[in-house]
Structure formats: C-alpha cells, structure tokens
Amino acid sequence: MVLCQGGEAAAVPAAGGKEPEVPLSREDGGGTGQPCLCSAPGMEAAGAEERRVCGCCLGLSWPRCCKAPGTKKKKAACPGLGLFYTILSAFLFSVASLFLKKIEDVHSVEVSAFRCVFQMAFVLPGLIYYKTGFLGPKGKRIFLFFRGFLGSSAMILLYYAFQVMPLADATVITFSSPVFTSLLAWIFLKEKYGIWDLLFTLFAITGVVLIARPPFLFGSNVTGIEGSYTDHLKGTIAAITSTVSAASTFVILRKVGKSVHYFLSIWYYAVIGLIGCVIALFVMNEWRLPYCGKDRVFLILIGLLGLGGQIFLTKALQIEKAGPVAIMKTMDVVFAFILQILFLNHLPTWWTVGGALCVVASSSGTAIRKWRQSLKKAKQNEI
C-alpha cells in the first residue's frame, strides 16, 4: 500500500496482513480529514483488488488522486442551485413579458427583431472563442435552418399573443410545450408514446380550451378577456402555433444532439429570426423607432432580461436534471398571474385558473414521467 500525503507517495509496510495505522488528520490542512490510500504506479500487490480508497479520490488511482501534484479538487455543487437558476430564469422571462405588455407603439415583430440583435451580440464572441464557425457541419445545416426558422417564428407569435391577450393566458398556453414535444417526438423520432402521454395531451388540450373559451362551447358572452374576443382568439391561435413551433425546435435539437455547439444553434435562431423580422416589417410597413423614450427603455430591458433568462436556464440544465427543471418551470405561470394582478390590474377568471391547473398538471406529469424513465435507464446501464 502507499500513503499519498501532500502529493508525495511513501511506502508503508504491512505487518501481519493488517492495514497500517495512519493519523486521521492532515498536516497540510487541505484534505478531507482522511488519508488517501492508493496503489503506487507500477506496483501489483497480491491484494490489489481489495485496495481501499478515500472519498476524495472517488476510486481514482495515483497519480490521478486528488492530492497528487498538479491536480485540483473539484468543488461540490451547491444543493438546489440549479432549481434556483430555474426560478430566476422564470422570473426574468415573466418580467420581460410584463414590459412587452407595457409597450404601446411597437409591433411585436419589431420587438422580436431587437431581441435577435441582443442574442447575436451575445453569441458572436462565443462562436469566435470556441471556433465553431458560422455555418456548422454540412450534414446539420438544414436542421439548423429549420431550428432557427421555427424558433424565431415561435418567438414572434408568442410576443404577438402577449400583446393582444392576458399575460397569464398566453403563458399558460405556451407552457403546454412539453406535451406537444412528446407527441412530435413520437411521430418523427419514433420515441415511446404511451397511454399516460395521451392522457397528459388531453389535459393540455382541455386547459387550452378553457382559456380560449370558443363561442360554440361557452356561448357568445365571454368575459374576462382583454379587448375584443376576435383579438383574444387571434392571440390564442398565435400562442398555440408558437407552442407547436417551440416543440418542433426541441425535436430538431434532439435529432441534432451534441454534434452541434449550442452557441451555433442560438446563432441560427437569432440570424434567421432577424432576417425574417426585417422582411416582415418592411412588408407590413411597421418598421419605426418608438416615439416614447419609455418604450425604448422597455425594448432594451426586454432584450437584456430575455438574454439573462436564457443564460440562467442553460446553467440550470447544466447542473440539474431536466425533470426537476421542467417541474420548477411551473413558476412561469405563477409569476405571470402575480404580475398580471399587481401591475396590469387584471384579475384572472376561474376559467383561466382551471385551464392553468390542467396545463400545469399535464406538463408536470410529462416531466416527471420522462425523469423517471431517464433514472430507470441510468440504473440499467450501471448494472
């Protein structure tokens, strides 16, 4: 056996077949309070398969021991940090949506164009640093194009829905995206789609119907909406289309996998979105700078908050499993209801609350089911 201490190996003879006694404290003060017993390089002892290692080594042999020269001990992740990042991301996205509701003289397409400019400014240094290029692998460019087209379309339609219908209603509808992702993944990627997935999809559709409240089911006198029912219906259609488009981008990202850097994926999203927004604005003759200085400030804040929300959501997915993150994203709906009541003076109806419960239940159920499946698959791989 070898006693690794302070990065140096010292042979310790074993007498009587017993392990040598070693002190429980370290003179350098930088350890875990336990000695590091590892096999010396090139030594093959008779009982090598029964060697002991301390917790700091995580089973690694010398010189990959955490106390070997030139190695750094990995810091333990803070428990719950990923979930905190998810809540912070949900809050930033919700505040950005609130500012969008406050803008008066700017079309939703123009807001989307400003958002794309902010994303391009953020992603460009990353592309240069990681040397990913601007087009991506030849076999993946078609997928990246559709990811950018569908993702930017989802953003434009979502911003339009935020402007013409209650904030909470639009947020709840778009929150059904995981359910549609499962359905599209079953159709295009041949992923498993069981009876529970079908049940969650029906729950999500029920929630959307309760929020939209079509006249052929609820009559012509619909209360609790902003403006006319025609605008409310247009906003509902835009929100549903945005949700399906966002779900399609998730399926494309699953298809591409890790073969494309995520910065390149965001780059396509921003560039294609900006080109599409500029063309649409000139066709609709809606391109103009906001007259009010307040609207200009809101535009900048929407870009910064949207960028911050994406950063924290990405960091959350890097250090936390996707299931808990998806469940914690239900805070999007909670924040939307709170901000709508406090700053927009619009009380949600019981129909909206019922629809929100259906959609949240379906998306949370989908996330929990996928999470359990991933844990089960991980345990099978370990066996």
Side-chain angles (χ1 to χ4, degrees):
M1 299 298 291
V2 170
L3 176 61
C4 306
Q5 208 169 42
E8 299 179 358
V12 180
K18 296 181 179 180
E19 292 289 343
E21 295 183 1
V22 291
L24 296 179
S25 60
R26 302 183 57 91
E27 293 180 358
D28 56 1
T32 58
Q34 292 182 351
C36 184
L37 296 177
C38 307
S39 297
M43 178 182 291
E44 297 180 359
E49 59 272 359
E50 296 181 0
R51 64 185 179 89
R52 292 165 52 193
V53 293
C54 68
C56 65
C57 294
L58 297 177
L60 299 179
S61 59
W62 199 95
R64 295 178 63 196
C65 169
C66 62
K67 294 303 175 184
T71 58
K72 295 182 180 180
K73 185 177 179 181
K74 187 178 180 181
K75 295 182 179 179
C78 178
L81 184 60
L83 300 182
F84 172 74
Y85 283 155
T86 307
I87 295 176
L88 185 58
S89 170
F91 177 75
L92 294 178
F93 280 134
S94 299
V95 175
S97 303
L98 175 65
F99 289 155
L100 180 62
K101 294 286 293 183
K102 290 290 187 179
I103 291 180
E104 299 176 355
D105 298 323
V106 183
H107 197 276
S108 59
V109 179
E110 188 172 351
V111 179
S112 304
F114 275 92
R115 170 79 179 273
C116 291
V117 169
F118 273 94
Q119 287 189 337
M120 290 176 62
F122 169 74
V123 172
L124 183 59
L127 294 178
I128 298 174
Y129 178 78
Y130 289 107
K131 300 179 181 179
T132 61
F134 296 95
L135 297 178
K138 288 185 178 180
K140 306 295 182 181
R141 291 174 186 174
I142 185 66
F143 295 108
L144 289 171
F145 172 79
F146 280 109
R147 181 268 183 271
F149 175 75
L150 292 171
S152 58
S153 300
M155 175 181 61
I156 296 171
L157 292 169
L158 176 61
Y159 282 0
Y160 176 77
F162 279 142
Q163 286 187 331
V164 300
M165 67 186 303
L167 178 62
D169 291 12
T171 303
V172 169
I173 292 175
T174 57
F175 198 73
S176 60
S177 178
V179 180
F180 290 103
T181 302
S182 298
L183 181 60
L184 293 176
W186 170 60
I187 296 174
F188 295 103
L189 301 182
K190 307 304 179 183
E191 293 186 3
K192 186 177 180 181
Y193 190 85
I195 187 65
W196 282 105
D197 297 295
L198 178 60
L199 181 62
F200 294 144
T201 302
L202 294 177
F203 258 90
I205 294 175
T206 302
V208 172
V209 170
L210 291 177
I211 292 173
R213 281 165 285 169
F216 66 89
L217 290 178
F218 294 85
S220 57
N221 296 324
V222 180
T223 59
I225 62 175
E226 291 181 1
S228 64
Y229 180 77
T230 302
D231 289 338
H232 181 79
L233 186 60
K234 289 180 180 179
T236 302
I237 295 173
I240 295 173
T241 309
S242 172
T243 301
V244 176
S245 298
S248 302
T249 61
F250 292 146
V251 173
I252 293 175
L253 290 175
R254 286 187 188 179
K255 178 69 176 179
V256 172
K258 297 182 180 179
S259 60
V260 176
H261 198 280
Y262 68 91
F263 269 157
L264 193 59
S265 175
I266 300 176
W267 173 256
Y268 266 82
Y269 171 84
V271 171
I272 295 177
L274 180 60
I275 295 173
C277 288
V278 171
I279 294 174
L281 287 170
F282 277 106
V283 170
M284 297 185 299
N285 197 23
E286 289 284 350
W287 181 266
R288 63 178 184 273
L289 289 175
Y291 301 109
C292 178
K294 181 180 67 174
D295 286 348
R296 298 177 185 179
V297 174
F298 283 157
L299 280 175
I300 296 174
L301 290 176
I302 289 171
L304 293 176
L305 291 171
L307 182 59
Q310 278 197 339
I311 291 174
F312 282 112
L313 183 59
T314 302
K315 289 180 68 67
L317 290 171
Q318 287 177 342
I319 63 177
E320 185 61 78
K321 293 184 182 296
V325 171
I327 296 171
M328 192 57 65
K329 272 188 65 64
T330 55
M331 293 301 297
D332 287 1
V333 178
V334 177
F335 286 134
F337 275 100
I338 293 175
L339 295 177
Q340 177 176 299
I341 295 172
L342 293 180
F343 297 99
L344 301 178
N345 297 320
H346 186 87
L347 292 175
T349 64
W350 287 110
W351 294 114
T352 299
V353 174
L357 291 176
C358 289
V359 172
V360 169
S362 64
S363 58
S364 299
T366 301
I368 293 173
R369 187 171 180 274
K370 296 295 183 183
W371 182 26
R372 292 184 62 184
Q373 287 178 350
S374 63
L375 292 178
K376 184 178 180 181
K377 185 177 296 185
K379 290 181 179 179
Q380 290 176 350
N381 292 335
E382 290 179 359
I383 297 174

